[in-house]
Amino acid sequence: MGKASQLPTLPAPLFATLNFLPHQRKWGETAGAATAIGAMDKEYVGFAALPNQLHRKSVKKGFDFTLMVAGESGLGKSTLINSLFLTNLYEDRQVPEARARLTQTLTIERRGVEIEEGGIKVKLTLVDTPGFGDSVDCSDCWLPVVRFIEEQFEQYLQDESGLNRKNIQDSRVHCCLYFISPFGRGLRPLDVAFLRAVHEKVNIIPVIGKADALMPKETQALKQKIREQLQEEEINIYQFPDCDSDEDEVFKRQDAEMKESIPFAVVGSCEVVRDGGTRPVRGRRYSWGTVEVENPHHCDFLNLRRMLVQTHLQDLKEVTHDLLYEGYRARCLQSLARPGARDRASRSKLSRQSATEIPLPMLPLADTEKLIREKDEELRRMQEMLEKMQAQMRQSQAQGEQSDAL
Amino acid sequence: MEAEANSGSPEDSWAFIQKPGEGCRTVPLAGHVGFDSLPDQLVNKSVSQGFCFNILCVGETGLGKSTLMDTLFNTKFEGEPATHTQPGVQLRSNTYDLQEGNVGLKLTIVSTVGFGDQINKEDSYKPIVEFIDAQFEAYLQEELKILRVLHNYHDSRIHACLYFIAPTGHSLKSLDLVTMKKLDSKVNIIPIIAKSDAISKSELTKFKIKITSELVSNGVQIYQFPTDDESVAEINGTMNAHLPFAVIGSTEELKIGNKMMKARQYPWGTVQVENEAHCDFVKLREMLIRINMEDLREQTHSRHYELYRRCKLEEMGFKDTDPDSKPFSLQETYEAKRNEFLGELQKKEEEMRQMFVQRVKEKEAELKEAEKELHEKFDRLKKLHQDEKKKLEDKKKLLDDEVNAFKQRKTAAELLQSQGSQAGGAQTLKRDKEKKKTREEKSVSDGTCTTPGKHPVVPCALVVCAV
């Protein structure tokens, strides 16, 4: 037990394959530190291979992620999605004419796509909201979206409470990218209304679309204005978790940079521009220059991609499951258990710290559950008696031996 | 009326004018008369009067309307940028006096505030239409006056409407379509694509084609630069093909090369506002100000204003010909209308007077009733009061009687007592007194007036004496 402080080493070939994957960064490093220490220890237990097992299982299971994009039309949503995942998801898109959009025609479209990289399979579902904010009268146009999100929660709740829970399909929306227009002066009343309707149901990441219309100082001013407005209207957007203190400086700096650049000002492009001498880049070509999508001085696209895909995908899923879904479930069940009672859970501010404070209601106990509980109690009691008897036996044995010895 | 002028030597000058329905012969001129300076006289007069031009900018908040105006007229007009929280659409109007060379221009810029910000935009076009109609109405009123000063009148009618389209790259927004449809018969609409540095060249051509096709298919009439005047027909024709203009506005000047130019600087390049390869700003300026300003004014007066005037007068009941197809004189119609109006006024007055009288009567009746009620109430209360008083007096009398009776008994008892003490011994005094007291109390409590019986006293005294 005394030697447990020394880090055991992992067998070399396994480590090599694991260090190759970017999102296993942190774990790869500590494993690297392990190899540096020295030769294999005699008292090597082996639970340092746990991350390895987890990795293997998750690779086999695959990941799934549901991303919703919302915002007025013409802000570059489809182009951005294509740039983010480097695929062409929207090739068969028809943009309706202005006359067709006079009255509200909001629809919710779901597109599923499987992408693979380095052996990791991701099933990506994109939820699109064409027609949002397009008509002359946009009153309540966000209601279908809210209903959709709640339906997914409802579905998951039913699956979770069902009998066969082996293959639950998680169709809940994990993240919503909300596009803000760069041509205005901040959030518009429609933006505010939509965000207020969904902020406690889905992780919101605000994004400024078509940011190549803004000069750098205009971008800063707009971001500042939007941040202020979000605070004033008490809209809870997705909060990035704080870095662990043992992360290295580079990571911490990147993280801080990323947090400061919310809302992300992005530019998307499906074209690859080949300028004379330089290598081909994704960008938009103008007569006065070319905007490079992946240039951090031009826009925040890299930050957004890093955050969404490389570092925080899993965190988004966890927050959806642990915080937002639990909140929905509590509200749902409370209103079932005590119809007409005011539910405090829906009014309390959801934050990471308060996740454990949401009061879960006492369900009306079914008879079978009662029986189960009683049986459990009995079992426990019997176990205790058994232990006592065993102890007594041991004692009497020991006494018997003593007396024999004597 | 057709007019043809042949240019050539003064001896060969012909003036050939033909009036409809009237024969007119051409007359050759023998020398230079000098009326070819008429246009110059006209121009001189106009220049001394000064020109007047009114622009209306319609567009969503933040699309760069104020910046474009500043850029177009090379100056900084005052004004605070608006926020998105306006509850409705309003129009903000400012008038400026500009001078260039020896030409003075009275420029009025009207801008929408809060357009496109509300969630329900169905009524967004109304304030704009009302404003334009109000300007036409003001002019009409001035025209119909008896003593009018049209030559000195500050014409506030909108000569050009710049409609700012957001650079989405797809098509027009539904709000744009609805608004332009309502405005196209009232004002010269010039659609422009604002903040066009967000659109690349290829996207721009597609966008322009889409917009023009949508406008045509929905029957929206935008202003076409005139192609009937030879000198400008060609340039106007080419410019018409470039509509809608994709513009960028900027008031910041940057040093490019060795000149200061209006530009916007991005990390990936610098957009020059006056560079024709970058945007259509120069085209807009040429068309709007340098070439067609006068035509815009004329169109406003001869087409849009006349349409408004006709509709308005028809509403009021004026017609060009009466049922017998004899031309109506304006004056007669006017007189007839006036009389009608006066008659109506009198009728209304009568009505109001009658109603007033009726109301007064009703009120009087009400008040009278109230008074009656009050009187009744007063009587009732008085009666109650008197009844109460009487009852109380009766009770008092009873009480007084009782008190008197008690007093009498008391004096009688005392008298007896003094007699008894003289007749009997001292011992019996106390007992008798007690007995008397109890009897008195009993008699008083019973309310009966009994004379103190002598017989109970006597046997006691006898008994005592015997002992």
Side-chain angles (χ1 to χ4, degrees), chain A residues 66-96 107-113 124-131 175 177 179 268-270 282, chain B residues 170 206:
Chain A
T66 308
L67 177 66
M68 173 186 272
V69 276
E72 275 186 349
S73 73
L75 292 177
K77 301 190 290 291
S78 323
T79 317
L80 184 73
I81 297 298
N82 286 341
S83 314
L84 264 180
F85 298 105
L86 296 175
T87 62
N88 203 357
L89 284 163
Y90 288 94
E91 44 194 9
D92 55 351
R93 203 161 80 110
Q94 293 277 350
V95 183
T107 52
I108 312 253
E109 285 177 5
R110 255 208 282 218
R111 270 171 243 259
V113 67
L124 177 70
T125 312
L126 277 164
V127 181
D128 208 355
T129 56
C175 176
L177 288 179
F179 279 70
S269 171
C270 305
R282 268 190 172 240
Chain B
H170 294 319
K206 268 193 285 185

Side-chain angles (χ1 to χ4, degrees), chain A residues 101 134 136 138 183 185 210 218, chain B residues 62 82 84 121 168 171 174:
Chain A
R101 291 184 277 158
D134 280 347
V136 179
C138 300
F183 309 119
R185 293 201 185 106
K210 293 204 171 170
E218 289 173 346
Chain B
H84 290 285
K121 304 184 267 280
T168 56
S171 66
S174 48

Side-chain angles (χ1 to χ4, degrees), chain A residues 25-26 29 243-256:
Chain A
R25 204 201 104 266
K26 173 185 168 184
E29 277 185 17
C243 275
D244 299 329
S245 50
D246 62 345
E247 299 281 358
D248 64 18
E249 282 306 312
V250 175
F251 189 73
K252 275 199 196 160
R253 199 170 26 90
Q254 277 178 345
D255 201 60

Side-chain angles (χ1 to χ4, degrees), chain A residues 289-303:
Chain A
T290 307
V291 186
E292 289 165 33
V293 168
E294 292 178 4
N295 186 333
H297 297 294
H298 290 186
C299 71
D300 295 330
F301 176 79
L302 275 185
N303 274 339

Side-chain angles (χ1 to χ4, degrees), chain B residues 68-90:
Chain B
L68 186 68
M69 288 296 111
D70 291 348
T71 321
L72 261 180
F73 292 101
N74 248 335
T75 169
K76 183 89 182 73
F77 298 116
E78 88 263 355
E80 283 295 314
T83 57
H84 290 285
T85 50
Q86 303 285 333
V89 178
Q90 287 175 332

